[in-house]
Amino acid sequence: MKLFTPLFVLLWIWSFQVYGQEAPPPPDEPQKLIPPIKPPISLSGNFGELRPNHFHSGLDMRTGGHTGVPVHAVADGYVTRVAISPTGYGRAVYINHPNGITTVYGHLERLMPRLERYVRRIQYKREHFAVNLTIPRDSFPVKQGDVIAWSGNAGSSGGPHLHFEIRDTQTQRPQNGLKWHFPITDNIPPKMISLYAYSFPSTGVYEDKRYPTVYYSSAYHLKGNPVLKVNGPTAFGIQAVDYLNASWSKCGIYSAQLIVDQDTIFGFRISDISFAETRYVNSLADYAERERYGRWVHRLFRQPGNKLDIYTVDKNNGIVNFTDDKIHNVKVITADAYGNQSTLEFQVKSTPPDSTQRHDNGARIFSYQKDNYFQADNLKLKVPAGALYDDLPFHFEEGETPEGCYAPLQKIQDKYTPLQKAMRVAIRPDSLPDSLQNKALLVMVDPDGQKWSAGGEFEKGWVVGYPRSFGNFSVAVDTVPPTIRSLSIKEHKHLMNPKHIRFRIKDNLSGIDKYRGKIDGKWALFVYDPKYDLLTYTIDPSRLELGKTHQLKLTITDAKDNQSVYTATFYK
């Protein structure tokens, strides 16, 4: 359980102290890279920025709010992979280079013509839009500066931009692209917004307090300059952002250090991140603070189940045991990838040990190191070893059956506690007709009664699923097929757009699982964009005989095998 006590209204004080310097070169860099898009370069997101369930693994480069900007190969190399997906990077190209790096270009609108034709042939051969292709080495060589694609807004993109990554080819571990001397100016140090102080009154429990900061005398200080009272195990966190000169976007910091009485206790540096570790962002960040208030806070301590390898100093996991009766000087230093630094200075007053006893609150403790099992009348739960970041005082409560559901509400912990791995949840439904068993699934239910699918299948009297977050669960059924609304064909026969055929497709609960479009009995390449619920076919004269009436059939299926079919005739 995490307690939050707001103390002050956030006060932003902009500082313009300059520590600007050129970013350090990456090791053994034999080749200068050019920018993937034409300068000036403006970033809307940087490497290592904290994102929901992952670190940002590249640089997000603005494209002026529109698509179709030429994207260039940053160095000589060859295309090694193309991935097309409705989510993630959408349409992405991967290029290997002789100096041991791989560059990635994501959210693309289209690829260079020969590569586009190559990919489309495979899509039609497999009759599938989403493909992940390994490209033979000599098939698509590129020279530095070649246009290899055009920027777009595909996949899980929040707006038109280019997502650009640099990876180590051998490990595929993303690197901080700001170390490669792109024409990006940054002489603005990070902004320290607020300090968090954490105490640990009992096993698996912490309490926090938030202290806004102000800037004066070349450093940040706590507003009102209080001396914080601390006793026993104590840790800290920092809410900080970074800005670059040509952008007002809030970017992530590169490094931070915690210093107590001139002794460096803890530090991290985000110079590269493993994809296998990226979900540990939910431990580096104060997950509950983000879920409650949307604030990104870097913890300056390490939970024992956190396996990130970004930490540069780690004394006692960053937790300081204050047991004397003295005042201590504490300093937090943050920096960006260009070496600009900001410092926060404050003092704490320690209390003698007789007031620092930790208390057992009597809760059942789930171990982060072991498999944890729990069973109630209508629930069977397994939280596997490694799913938690620290020992957890587990809480469960059963509520009333929500409207439209078939099981009492199972309140499993709370949504403010993160999970690294999926847990196994089995809920016993009540009065579920045999005819609906194959339509049953787990649902998460919010306080207003709104439901979201948590997946799952009916198994021997239980509905079993593997959600990756705690919350309030029940059982519902999905018998409603997806909806299909034509945006380009009127009355099932008049084509209103000469270039595209578009549909709006939606599902009420389990979600769109698959779709299939045919024109004149042959598979047609429809592109799915789930963020807009759009399904689009672009008229392709090389595959569609023009000057005739065509038959269109579109079939949409959700995750519970409910199906909708749309048919039409059109002349083109």
Side-chain angles (χ1 to χ4, degrees), residues 93-354:
V93 172
Y94 299 69
I95 298 176
N96 282 5
H97 303 279
N99 59 351
I101 64 170
T102 298
T103 53
V104 184
Y105 312 77
H107 305 308
L108 303 172
E109 182 176 65
R110 65 187 191 278
L111 315 179
M112 56 183 177
R114 192 164 71 90
L115 184 58
E116 186 80 35
R117 291 192 296 270
Y118 175 91
V119 172
R120 185 160 298 184
R121 281 196 301 269
I122 295 176
Q123 288 175 311
Y124 270 91
K125 182 178 179 180
R126 297 182 182 180
E127 296 189 355
H128 209 275
F129 163 63
V131 292
N132 188 356
L133 307 177
T134 299
I135 310 296
R137 176 172 182 144
D138 298 327
S139 299
F140 296 95
V142 297
K143 291 292 186 181
Q144 187 178 63
D146 284 354
V147 175
I148 51 100
W150 286 263
S151 70
N153 187 30
S156 303
S157 170
H161 72 281
L162 173 68
H163 174 89
F164 174 72
E165 280 181 27
I166 297 176
R167 300 183 184 179
D168 177 89
T169 299
Q170 185 173 0
T171 65
Q172 285 298 294
R173 189 178 175 106
Q175 312 291 304
N176 194 324
L178 291 178
K179 298 186 293 183
W180 262 265
H181 304 294
F182 292 114
I184 299 172
T185 302
D186 181 8
N187 55 24
I188 304 173
K191 309 300 175 184
M192 311 273 250
I193 301 169
S194 55
L195 173 80
Y196 284 71
Y198 300 87
S199 59
F200 301 83
S202 62
T203 302
V205 174
Y206 68 88
E207 301 171 356
D208 74 15
K209 291 184 179 181
R210 177 172 176 259
Y211 300 90
T213 67
V214 294
Y215 182 81
Y216 60 86
S217 300
S218 302
Y220 285 89
H221 305 267
L222 303 184
K223 184 180 180 182
N225 206 29
V227 176
L228 307 186
K229 295 181 179 180
V230 296
N231 60 75
T234 302
F236 299 97
I238 190 69
Q239 183 188 6
V241 296
D242 189 45
Y243 292 86
L244 291 86
N245 288 48
S247 173
W248 287 100
S249 293
K250 298 176 182 178
C251 293
I253 62 174
Y254 175 67
S255 66
Q257 295 180 72
L258 172 67
I259 302 170
V260 179
D261 295 333
Q262 300 184 341
D263 183 16
T264 302
I265 303 297
F266 197 76
F268 66 80
R269 180 173 59 245
I270 311 176
S271 58
D272 55 293
I273 288 287
S274 165
F275 284 116
E277 297 177 351
T278 192
R279 192 176 174 90
Y280 286 109
V281 70
N282 291 332
S283 181
L284 173 67
D286 187 329
Y287 184 87
E289 191 70 6
R290 179 181 71 83
E291 285 293 304
R292 285 192 173 101
Y293 308 109
R295 300 181 185 127
W296 286 105
V297 178
H298 291 77
R299 282 180 169 145
L300 301 177
F301 66 99
R302 183 176 188 170
Q303 294 177 294
N306 176 352
K307 297 182 180 180
L308 280 172
D309 62 2
I310 65 172
Y311 298 106
T312 54
V313 181
D314 185 0
K315 296 182 179 180
N316 194 37
N317 288 332
I319 297 175
V320 183
N321 194 17
F322 289 105
T323 58
D324 57 23
D325 191 18
K326 298 180 180 179
I327 289 180
H328 299 271
N329 297 310
V330 183
K331 183 184 297 185
V332 177
I333 300 175
T334 60
D336 61 29
Y338 285 79
N340 305 298
Q341 290 187 355
S342 292
T343 300
L344 167 65
E345 299 175 348
F346 61 98
Q347 291 184 319
V348 299
K349 173 65 168 61
S350 180
T351 304
D354 60 348

